């Protein structure tokens, strides 16, 4: 974080991690760019914490190398890696003030008192706790306590900040506030940040680039916009979006995509079996379209989400605006616009063709689509 140093990139080179016979991370290859906010996203048990702990030095690699700012660190002690970590369970010392908690690591490192106090004050200001330095943790809200935990990491002026689900214990409103604060913090200090979560909203809102992990493998490592608009695999498509993309088994023949019962779904030149993906918000009502039965309706206020059943029994979700209420167990007709269709190989899950990303949404090129 020191202003004179360029932000530290993190390189993962053939990184493997096994516990006994269980391989959790099978040979990861990736470059996390210096100064970027990388979110590692994936379902429970996919290896997110394991990967973060390997970067932090809390776990030993089974094979491979990790570089931070070009230096190999896989054999280095955690304290010598230039990192600081924020956990979900941020245990604060209850008998110490906010200042004492923030400055504890500096005290242990025998940083002189005057410098310590200046750094504590600066870190507290960054997380907006400047007026709370003398409080005890018990006199703070959950969000304020989490900010103390973040300040405790920031005060060490790390090159790299690692977060493992730091917002999971907070309520929905507080999580949203903290997302905004973390984004602001990242802009102010510019340290390379790696943030683990299984919450795709956190990933979409915080990340410069998202690494989507599935059973220890990188499914896609790209900007939120690319992940959303051009998912590289059916797994990514089915993980991102609230609700996520619907995936249907279809067959393409003679310019049409059909369900197994022969129902024509959409025009498309694909030949053969495919997984057809479509986002709920892109399904349209169309009196001349495909017949569907509304089997469930979730009213979310601003819009509702309909679960539809199609001719072959498969299900599809559709987001409907507030204008046209649709009753459950009514019959409707829908259209799947050609531009909204994503086709994936049913065997490998890979996209047959990548969708273009709207140009105004493009921040950085993705360069790590696994092959
Ligand atoms: N010490 C260990 N010994 C054996 N297996 C382990 C150990 N630690 C983790 N695992 C296994 O490794 C896999 C990945 O665990 P990890 O904690 O990295 O997942 P995660 O993606 O962080 O999940 P969550 O979102 O639930 O925190 C899991 O299947 C887990 O059971
Ligand atoms: Mg975890």
């Amino acid at each position: 974080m020191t202003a004179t140093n360029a932000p530290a990139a993190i390189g993962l080179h053939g990184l493997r991690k096994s516990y006994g016979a269980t391989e959790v991370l099978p040979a990861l290859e990736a470059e996390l760019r210096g100064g970027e906010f990388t979110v590692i996203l994936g379902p429970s048990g996919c290896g997110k914490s394991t990967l973060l702990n390997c970067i932090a030095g809390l776990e030993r690699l089974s094979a491979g190398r990790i570089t931070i700012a070009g230096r190999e660190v896989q054999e280095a002690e955690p304290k010598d890696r230039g990192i600081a970590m924020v956990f979900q369970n941020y245990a604060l010392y209850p008998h110490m003030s906010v200042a004492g908690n923030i400055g504890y690591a500096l005290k242990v490192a025998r940083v002189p008192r005057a410098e310590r106090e200046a750094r504590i004050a600066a870190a507290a200001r960054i997380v907006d706790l400047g007026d709370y330095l003398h409080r005890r943790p018990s006199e703070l809200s959950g969000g304020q306590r989490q900010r103390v935990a973040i300040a405790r990491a920031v005060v060490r002026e790390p090159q790299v900040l690692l977060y493992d689900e730091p917002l999971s214990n907070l309520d929905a409103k507080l999580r949203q506030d903290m997302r905004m604060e973390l984004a602001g913090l990242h802009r102010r200090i510019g340290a390379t940040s790696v943030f683990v979560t299984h919450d795709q909203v956190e990933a979409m809102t915080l990340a410069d680039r998202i690494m989507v992990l599935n059973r220890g493998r990188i499914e896609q490592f790209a900007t939120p916009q690319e992940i959303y608009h051009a998912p590289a695999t059916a797994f990514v498509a089915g993980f991102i979006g609230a609700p996520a993309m619907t995936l249907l088994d279809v067959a393409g023949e003679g310019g049409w995509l059909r369900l197994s019962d022969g129902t024509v779904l959409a025009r498309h030149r694909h030949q053969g079996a495919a997984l057809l993906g479509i986002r709920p918000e892109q399904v349209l009502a169309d009196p001349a379209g495909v017949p569907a039965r509304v089997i469930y309706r979730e009213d979310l206020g601003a819009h509702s989400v309909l679960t539809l059943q199609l001719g072959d029994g498969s299900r599809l979700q559709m987001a409907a605006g507030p204008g046209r209420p649709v009753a459950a167990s009514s019959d409707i007709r829908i259209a799947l616009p050609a531009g909204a269709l994503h086709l994936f190989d049913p065997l490998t899950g890979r996209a047959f063709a990548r969708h273009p990303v709207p140009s105004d949404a493009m921040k950085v090129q993705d360069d790590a689509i696994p092959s």
Side-chain angles (χ1 to χ4, degrees):
M1 185 180 75
T2 39
T4 47
N5 292 347
I10 303 171
L12 311 175
H13 310 281
L15 185 160
R16 280 175 200 272
K17 177 66 189 176
S18 307
Y19 295 107
T22 315
E23 186 162 69
V24 177
L25 302 173
L28 284 188
E29 237 12 276
E31 161 111 355
L32 283 58
R33 294 188 190 131
E36 282 198 355
F37 200 111
T38 298
V39 172
I40 301 174
L41 176 70
S44 182
C46 73
K48 304 180 296 295
S49 296
T50 303
L51 174 53
L52 204 68
N53 292 339
C54 286
I55 296 172
L58 303 175
E59 292 278 3
R60 273 190 73 84
L61 309 191
S62 304
R65 296 179 299 119
I66 296 177
T67 55
I68 296 179
R71 187 171 72 94
E72 281 197 19
V73 296
Q74 66 274 5
E75 300 299 332
E77 292 290 320
K79 66 176 174 46
D80 300 328
R81 296 189 181 199
I83 51 129
M85 197 153 167
V86 182
F87 297 93
Q88 176 180 351
N89 295 312
Y90 45 90
L92 303 179
Y93 297 110
H95 58 285
M96 282 185 203
S97 66
V98 167
N101 271 283
I102 295 175
Y104 186 70
L106 302 182
K107 195 167 179 180
V108 170
R110 298 178 188 280
V111 173
R113 187 188 189 109
E115 180 188 344
R116 209 163 70 213
E117 285 178 355
R119 280 167 67 176
I120 291 169
R125 263 199 311 278
I126 285 174
V127 297
D128 209 10
L129 283 176
D131 296 335
Y132 294 80
L133 284 172
H134 300 292
R135 293 244 189 130
R136 302 273 155 143
S138 60
E139 299 162 332
L140 300 176
S141 72
Q144 289 167 336
R145 284 179 212 169
Q146 185 54 283
R147 296 209 303 253
V148 175
I150 293 168
R152 195 168 55 175
V154 166
V155 78
R156 298 168 56 194
E157 301 183 349
Q159 290 180 288
V160 175
L161 271 169
L162 304 176
Y163 301 91
D164 194 348
E165 311 237 16
L167 309 184
S168 306
N169 288 347
L170 307 178
D171 67 42
K173 169 77 173 78
L174 210 49
R175 286 171 79 125
Q176 191 179 4
D177 294 347
M178 285 299 297
R179 280 207 300 273
M180 229 159 66
E181 292 186 17
L182 280 173
L185 172 74
H186 179 67
R187 276 196 304 276
R188 286 194 295 280
I189 69 174
T192 306
S193 299
V194 188
F195 184 103
V196 159
T197 183
H198 59 265
D199 180 338
Q200 47 118 1
V201 176
E202 273 171 29
M204 291 295 289
T205 53
L206 282 170
D208 290 311
R209 294 197 302 157
I210 302 174
M211 178 190 289
V212 183
L213 272 193
N214 177 23
R215 297 163 177 238
R217 291 177 198 279
I218 300 175
E219 293 270 337
Q220 189 169 9
F221 188 14
T223 64
Q225 294 298 332
E226 287 168 279
I227 296 266
Y228 180 86
H229 291 286
T233 66
F235 178 86
V236 174
F239 199 75
I240 297 284
M245 222 183 245
T246 298
L247 293 165
L248 298 169
D249 278 305
V250 299
E253 206 198 319
W256 299 99
L257 294 176
R258 293 173 191 269
L259 293 172
S260 60
D261 71 335
T263 306
V264 170
L265 273 188
R267 226 181 207 307
H268 202 285
R269 60 188 151 73
H270 178 79
Q271 290 286 335
L275 267 178
L276 169 66
I278 180 147
R279 295 215 174 272
E281 55 273 30
Q282 294 185 306
V283 177
L284 302 176
D286 179 352
V290 183
R293 165 153 281 244
V294 181
I295 57 170
Y296 186 64
R297 172 165 172 252
E298 245 176 350
D299 201 333
L300 299 171
H303 70 286
S304 48
V305 176
L306 309 178
T307 301
L308 309 178
Q309 186 161 316
L310 303 176
D312 70 343
S314 58
R315 290 179 179 183
L316 175 142
Q317 287 191 305
M318 171 181 183
R324 296 174 305 97
V326 183
S329 65
S330 59
D331 291 308
I332 63 171
R333 282 175 178 268
I334 57 166
L336 312 183
L341 305 181
H342 297 256
L343 286 182
F344 303 96
D345 185 326
L347 295 178
T348 65
R350 320 212 113 259
F352 281 123
R354 299 290 297 283
H355 271 234
V357 177
S359 58
D360 60 342
M362 204 81 156
K363 265 204 294 187
V364 263
Q365 296 289 329
D366 98 20
D367 58 3
I369 305 305
S371 50

